[in-house]
Amino acid sequence: MTHDLTQMTAAHLGKLYARGKVSPVETMKAVLARTEAVNPILNAFCTVDTEEALRAARASERRWKNGKALSPIDGVPVSIKELVRVKGWPASMGSKLTDKAPSDADAPAVARLREAGAIVFAQSTSSEFGHKGVTDTPLNGVTRNPWNTGMTPGGSSGGAGSAVAAGLGPLGIGTDGGGSVRIPSSFNGLIGLKATYGRVPNWPPTLNGDFSNTGPMCRTAHDCALMMNAIARPDPRDPTQLSADDTDYVKVLKRKPGKPRIAFLLRMSEHPLDIEVAAMVTKAARQVEKLGAKVEEIEAPPFPHVDAGKSFVTHWLTNSARLLDLYSEARWGEFDPNLLAGAKAARERYSVKDVVEAQAVRREVAVAWNLFFEKYDFLLTPTVGVQPFPVLKNAPDGLDGKPNFAWSPYTATFNLTRHPAASVPCGLSSAGLPVGLQIVAGHFKDAAVLALAGAYAEAHPLKFPILPETK
Amino acid sequence: MTSDLAMMPAHQLVKLYKARKASPVEAAKSALARVEAFNPQLNAFQHLDPDGALKAARASEKRWKKGGKRLSDVDGVPITIKDMVLTKGLPTRMGSLATDENGPWTVDAPVSQRLREAGTVLLGKTTSPEYGWKGVTDSRLFGATHNPWKIGRTSGGSSGGGVAAEAVGMGNLAIGTDGAGSVRIPCSFTGLFGLKPTQGRVPLYPPSAQGTLSHIGPMTRTVLDAAMMMNVIARPDPRDLYGRPDDAEDYLKGFDKGVKGLRIAYSPNLGFVEKEKIDRDVAVAVDAAARVFKTLGAKVVEDSPDFMGMDPRQILNAHWQSNVAVLFKGYSPEKQALMDPGLVKAAEVGANLGQEAVVTAIHQRQQVGVIMNAFLAKYDLLLTPTMPMTAFAVNENAAWGGDGVDIGWTPFTLTFNLTRQPAATIPCGLDREGLPIGLQIVGGHARDALVLRAAAAYERVRPIPAPPLAHQV
């Protein structure tokens, strides 16, 4: 089974290509065959471009043969979330309402991946406009978790999470406006990175402005680093990007982490927390300490979580409400009811004062966390407060039998503050479902976050069976 | 001789320090003498600190005497800081009667701290309209600040005190803030060089009510002085949530390289400003300035960005009015009654904008950013007028008899607060009344050094004159 090309990391594939042991065409064919077999179950992809995939694979094969590979991920299959533009494919956004004409340009990350020779072969599903943390839409239906197909892969990059865990290409591009890379990474046992805002350029500007980040979702930190080396490059279309730097993410992974000062925070506030998640993440924090770090448990975040959360929700819903301007009322019935309800509620609930105050609070939250990261090199938290839960629910049931709307309290703060944050798997629960540890750091320490995730994952790797289990 | 020290560019002043031909104490005394001579007419200071200045000057003098132990390239240079910027030990009133006159004044903003660490000599705090709300400088707290080129005219704003001081030697360097043009408007109106750096380059704290519209930058009599200041103030500070990564930029490196071969777009109206709104003398002077860049070897092309029907003026208005509305609501009715009626009106307008209008403006700001990014990917630099007009009468809230609630009378500057790109102004002539005209030079993100370099090239052939008043000592 070790020769199953669908189960190999991008780093491994690149090495095999370099040695001429495997060709990108073989990999692509294997991934396409596996996609054909399991995508009907998982619904991870809404578009698969077989012809283009094989054409690109053959071109890559020639480059490797001629010693002209464009990068270490030349010829590696990558899927792109449907919120990210791919030339020739519709920018469907998980919505029945969007224009389904083919996009006329690649988003920056897609353009960079192509320049690196990666094979852009499929479009992965998202919740509608990425508005929620699970993945089902009126347009594409339900996306499932390969670890247990009755469960959600999380969201909004649920298609990417499901695909990479199932071996449908080792690399996935997700987007994260409130946790949408980290939540599905946690639920599918992947490493996913939301870099410092602006590190990976975005285009066109999204509904959620500088909350929204494009990021890698992979099985290993090394693969994330290979992707970052490709996508964390400037693009003039993003006016909010950071200046180019010459970080080699793969090189940084190989560096010893030193003796970082780490804070461990189990709860953001009085929200519910799954008892097994709590135990596994606490254990993970202790394991991080054994890597040579100094881990100190802290009781509370440096800024009241309730106020930060309110700021986030105000931003989020008033941005969603823009959709009501962009699409005619006659068609509103075609929106995901959850999205429509939020947008309508925002119109009624929020005044100018609320919107501007939310921005002012956001600035205070960010300053508080900036000063926090002067004291600590990293923060550890659970990525999500629960284990993957059944599909077709927007929130899992709480212990009281009522929906637990506070199931994901850990991620959105760092969209408010724009700090880099990753999820790394810290094992399987007794139900056999992945649980994630979130690692956060100060601005621009993207490579350091990835390096710590990598060091942890190397010491405590998550073994992937062939997923989903099929008869 | 002492009065000459006050008008001397900082880079020359420190050379004299080095050569032991002048001392920081002499320079401070010279600047303070000018404060005595000119400030009664100009009203540039909200707070003066002669004792603190002389103390700092004496400390600097010792460092220069010992030799080699100076704290920076601007150690011992007299400076002023705008009343909007926190300074430990000196009051920061934000130009407002609603702020507490008793402080406490316990914190330095990042820029104040960097300038202190650099050994500069702080003379005092310069005037600002209340919370920097308008592009002119008068307040209930401190009255009107006048233009050194013509008493009775505004020095512009909101950093109007800083420029009035800088233009006549009440300090060799000045710090202003810029949320819609507040460094560039007053520099244009008083014939100074001013730079609004890339947002995040010069850290801000506490966060401004205007968020990422707000910038902080140098206002100087030479471009080189601004570059030296940038080397001091453009250093990261963890308190700034929008700080950019430390790229160890040296703003003096390549400073003299000129503009030969640079691709420069010249836009007389930035693609959206109605031609009849631009003063004829301004248009002619800026046109001539663009041609100067051609003679310096740049490839100058007349070209304008296409904002696709969006109006940056509207977008900025929606942002700042709604921000002001929330700022205003944070005060008690008693305090609100003390505030500038124009500011109060803007707050009312902002409160009634509607959530939809504000969120739309936020989204359009992104679009404008994308458009200007694309434009400045095609060109190295963009030239425009800084202001459509020259300095008008004091005690007006805006040009053209406006009430100041609409900030659209400064369309060229505000566009680059929306986009966060670096933008400088440099004097490019005088109008029929002898009032200064400004040329705006804009670069892509983080290309502050290139903007400085281009301004320096222009300055070498068109040196910046001092106002006649400055010679009347």
Side-chain angles (χ1 to χ4, degrees):
Chain A
M1 225 46 226
T2 47
H3 295 300
D4 185 342
L5 295 173
T6 67
Q7 300 301 311
M8 283 178 190
T9 63
H12 193 184
L13 286 171
K15 272 185 199 149
L16 294 178
Y17 296 164
R19 289 189 211 131
K21 302 244 161 142
V22 171
S23 119
V25 176
E26 291 170 281
T27 308
M28 197 62 253
K29 281 184 175 161
V31 168
L32 287 170
R34 175 116 192 106
T35 300
E36 208 177 311
V38 302
N39 194 48
I41 306 166
L42 297 174
N43 192 30
F45 295 145
C46 49
T47 306
V48 180
D49 194 340
T50 306
E51 216 171 287
E52 166 59 21
L54 290 171
R55 192 204 59 75
R58 284 190 293 271
S60 170
E61 186 180 70
R62 281 194 295 276
R63 289 193 294 272
W64 281 106
K65 268 190 188 150
N66 298 331
K68 288 192 170 156
L70 297 168
S71 81
I73 55 169
D74 194 334
V76 176
V78 58
S79 63
I80 310 291
K81 184 182 182 183
E82 63 177 316
L83 300 189
V84 179
R85 295 267 166 103
V86 177
K87 193 176 172 179
W89 296 351
S92 45
M93 322 293 280
S95 180
K96 285 189 163 173
L97 287 86
T98 46
D99 181 3
K100 301 298 184 298
S103 300
D104 53 11
D106 283 333
V110 177
R112 296 300 92 74
L113 284 165
R114 284 198 214 271
E115 287 159 17
I119 305 173
V120 177
F121 79 105
Q123 195 170 27
S124 62
T125 54
S126 165
S127 59
E128 191 167 1
F129 290 99
H131 83 283
K132 63 182 182 183
V134 296
T135 306
D136 59 78
T137 61
L139 181 70
N140 297 317
V142 182
T143 300
R144 294 172 184 277
N145 191 319
W147 291 88
N148 178 336
T149 54
M151 301 296 174
T152 178
S156 63
S157 310
S162 176
V164 174
L168 312 185
L171 306 177
I173 279 284
T175 66
D176 189 318
S180 287
V181 156
R182 289 160 287 160
I183 295 166
S185 292
S186 174
F187 277 13
N188 293 282
L190 305 179
I191 297 183
L193 173 68
K194 178 200 84 70
T196 306
Y197 179 79
R199 179 46 71 214
V200 179
N202 279 325
W203 178 87
T206 76
L207 209 53
N208 287 305
D210 67 354
F211 285 82
S212 192
N213 302 267
T214 303
M217 297 167 65
C218 311
R219 290 190 184 182
T220 64
H222 191 171
D223 278 8
C224 284
L226 286 168
M227 268 182 109
M228 284 298 284
N229 275 352
I231 65 179
R233 295 188 187 281
D235 189 297
R237 292 173 293 175
D238 184 350
T240 50
Q241 68 184 335
L242 297 168
S243 304
D245 70 2
D246 50 6
T247 301
D248 181 334
Y249 288 82
V250 174
K251 242 186 205 162
V252 176
L253 280 194
K254 288 174 187 155
R255 248 180 247 156
K256 284 264 176 275
K259 251 189 172 302
R261 303 156 299 167
I262 299 183
F264 169 49
L265 177 62
L266 194 55
R267 271 195 175 80
M268 298 296 273
S269 68
E270 293 294 308
H271 55 75
L273 173 60
D274 179 281
I275 188 168
E276 223 178 333
V277 171
M280 289 171 70
V281 173
T282 303
K283 185 179 170 197
R286 291 186 183 131
Q287 289 168 333
V288 169
E289 191 155 38
K290 290 205 178 102
L291 296 174
K294 190 175 168 325
V295 178
E296 179 191 333
E297 182 155 6
I298 58 169
E299 294 303 318
F303 192 90
H305 180 66
V306 176
D307 298 330
K310 200 177 143 205
S311 168
F312 178 80
V313 170
T314 306
H315 277 96
W316 195 257
L317 293 182
T318 53
N319 280 327
S320 293
R322 273 277 283 162
L323 291 170
L324 302 180
D325 290 338
L326 299 174
Y327 297 100
S328 77
E329 194 167 352
R331 298 198 62 192
W332 289 0
E334 296 170 62
F335 279 125
D336 180 331
N338 189 62
L339 175 60
L340 183 63
K344 278 183 161 173
R347 275 287 145 86
E348 285 154 26
R349 200 182 298 161
Y350 299 115
S351 66
V352 168
K353 180 170 172 271
D354 295 318
V355 172
V356 176
E357 258 171 16
Q359 294 172 24
V361 170
R362 182 185 185 190
R363 296 192 275 269
E364 288 173 32
V365 178
V367 170
W369 280 101
N370 252 23
L371 296 174
F372 179 90
F373 287 119
E374 280 295 289
K375 262 178 32 203
Y376 297 103
D377 297 308
F378 297 100
L379 169 75
L380 307 178
T381 74
T383 306
V384 189
V386 297
Q387 301 180 36
F389 51 88
V391 293
L392 286 170
K393 284 175 184 282
N394 290 332
D397 290 339
L399 292 175
D400 55 4
K402 292 181 192 147
N404 165 20
F405 291 111
W407 61 276
S408 183
Y410 297 101
T411 50
T413 292
F414 306 106
N415 297 78
L416 280 177
T417 66
R418 301 155 40 259
H419 288 112
S423 182
V424 59
C426 55
L428 299 178
S429 70
S430 54
L433 294 167
V435 169
L437 169 75
Q438 180 174 240
I439 302 173
V440 194
H443 286 140
F444 322 125
K445 297 195 171 151
D446 311 278
V449 166
L450 208 48
L452 182 61
Y456 176 80
E458 199 167 299
H460 307 279
L462 179 66
K463 293 214 166 58
F464 275 84
I466 305 280
L467 296 171
E469 286 177 31
T470 44
K471 283 156 212 151
Chain B
M1 185 62 204
T2 47
S3 58
D4 289 336
L5 292 181
M7 282 306 286
M8 194 167 278
H11 63 269
Q12 287 177 18
L13 188 59
V14 289
K15 271 188 196 149
L16 292 187
Y17 293 169
K18 204 173 201 172
R20 313 265 170 92
K21 289 189 177 153
S23 97
V25 174
E26 287 169 324
K29 282 184 175 162
S30 166
L32 288 168
R34 281 182 169 251
V35 172
E36 229 165 88
F38 297 127
N39 197 45
Q41 311 166 62
L42 296 173
N43 192 29
F45 286 91
Q46 182 273 126
H47 182 87
L48 264 172
D49 185 23
D51 295 343
L54 287 171
K55 194 174 154 213
R58 283 192 291 272
S60 172
E61 192 175 69
K62 276 187 199 149
R63 290 191 292 272
W64 282 102
K65 268 186 186 157
K66 277 182 196 162
K69 286 228 165 183
R70 65 202 165 92
L71 296 171
S72 76
D73 286 346
V74 287
D75 195 339
V77 175
I79 61 158
T80 64
I81 293 180
K82 188 183 182 183
D83 189 29
M84 296 281 291
V85 182
L86 291 187
T87 43
K88 198 172 169 178
L90 291 187
T92 300
R93 297 294 306 277
M94 319 294 276
S96 179
L97 287 170
T99 51
D100 193 339
E101 62 181 327
N102 298 314
W105 321 113
T106 52
V107 176
D108 263 339
V111 68
S112 310
Q113 200 177 334
R114 295 296 96 73
L115 285 164
R116 223 185 274 279
E117 289 160 5
T120 60
V121 173
L122 178 58
L123 298 176
K125 303 294 288 288
T126 53
T127 53
S128 166
E130 201 159 5
Y131 286 99
W133 81 274
K134 57 186 171 184
V136 297
T137 301
D138 62 78
S139 67
R140 286 186 163 186
L141 178 68
F142 227 76
T145 301
H146 288 251
N147 191 317
W149 288 80
K150 198 167 196 171
I151 303 301
R153 294 296 171 96
T154 180
S155 61
S158 63
S159 311
V163 290
E166 177 71 11
V168 297
M170 302 192 288
N172 299 67
L173 300 170
I175 283 287
T177 64
D178 190 320
S182 287
V183 157
R184 290 158 291 156
I185 299 165
C187 284
S188 179
F189 281 6
T190 60
L192 292 174
F193 177 77
L195 172 67
K196 177 197 82 65
T198 305
Q199 219 282 329
R201 261 268 154 94
V202 179
L204 289 171
Y205 176 85
S208 160
Q210 299 293 345
T212 55
L213 291 176
S214 192
H215 300 64
I216 194 157
M219 307 192 295
T220 55
R221 295 188 297 258
T222 69
V223 182
L224 182 54
D225 282 3
M228 285 171 67
M229 247 176 136
M230 283 296 284
N231 270 351
V232 171
I233 62 177
R235 295 287 165 248
D237 189 296
R239 292 172 293 174
D240 184 0
L241 63 153
Y242 288 112
R244 295 179 71 90
D246 186 7
D247 55 7
E249 179 86 84
D250 179 352
Y251 296 86
L252 297 174
K253 200 177 164 198
F255 183 79
D256 295 325
K257 271 170 68 182
V259 294
K260 199 166 177 208
L262 291 183
R263 301 158 306 161
I264 298 182
Y266 162 48
S267 176
N269 78 333
L270 200 47
F272 70 94
V273 180
E274 302 76 8
K275 296 246 159 77
E276 64 274 14
K277 286 197 170 154
I278 303 167
D279 180 272
R280 178 177 44 90
D281 291 359
V282 169
V284 169
V286 172
D287 218 67
R291 283 198 302 276
V292 169
F293 280 90
K294 214 174 242 180
T295 64
L296 293 172
K299 293 178 206 140
V300 181
V301 181
E302 193 167 322
D303 192 6
S304 297
D306 176 5
F307 292 114
M308 302 193 299
M310 292 182 292
D311 190 330
R313 293 171 287 205
Q314 262 178 26
I315 300 171
L316 196 119
N317 276 335
H319 275 88
W320 91 264
Q321 290 162 356
S322 59
N323 287 331
V324 160
V326 170
L327 178 79
F328 182 70
K329 278 197 177 151
Y331 284 97
S332 66
E334 298 80 57
K335 297 274 188 192
Q336 287 176 353
L338 299 173
M339 291 176 131
D340 188 324
L343 177 66
V344 174
K345 193 169 168 201
E348 278 165 12
V349 170
N352 292 314
L353 275 176
Q355 171 225 124
E356 219 175 311
V358 174
V359 177
T360 302
I362 292 168
H363 288 200
Q364 287 191 339
R365 182 186 182 189
Q366 297 168 14
Q367 300 287 356
V368 166
V370 171
I371 290 164
M372 275 315 304
N373 247 39
F375 191 81
L376 282 165
K378 266 191 339 207
Y379 299 102
D380 295 305
L381 295 166
L382 164 68
L383 306 177
T384 77
T386 305
M387 299 302 297
M389 76 292 291
T390 54
F392 46 89
V394 287
N395 288 321
E396 296 281 338
N397 277 340
W400 309 323
D403 59 8
V405 173
D406 177 355
I407 195 75
W409 58 277
T410 179
F412 301 114
T413 59
L414 61 80
T415 300
F416 303 102
N417 295 78
L418 293 175
T419 68
R420 302 154 34 262
Q421 287 157 327
T425 182
I426 189 163
C428 66
L430 302 176
D431 75 352
R432 52 200 171 275
E433 291 187 277
L435 293 168
I437 296 166
L439 168 76
Q440 183 170 242
I441 307 174
V442 186
H445 286 130
R447 301 191 84 184
D448 309 72
L450 182 69
V451 170
L452 287 165
R453 183 179 127 193
Y458 181 79
E459 182 192 34
R460 275 194 291 278
V461 291
R462 295 285 186 278
I464 300 173
L469 182 69
H471 303 298
Q472 295 170 18
V473 259

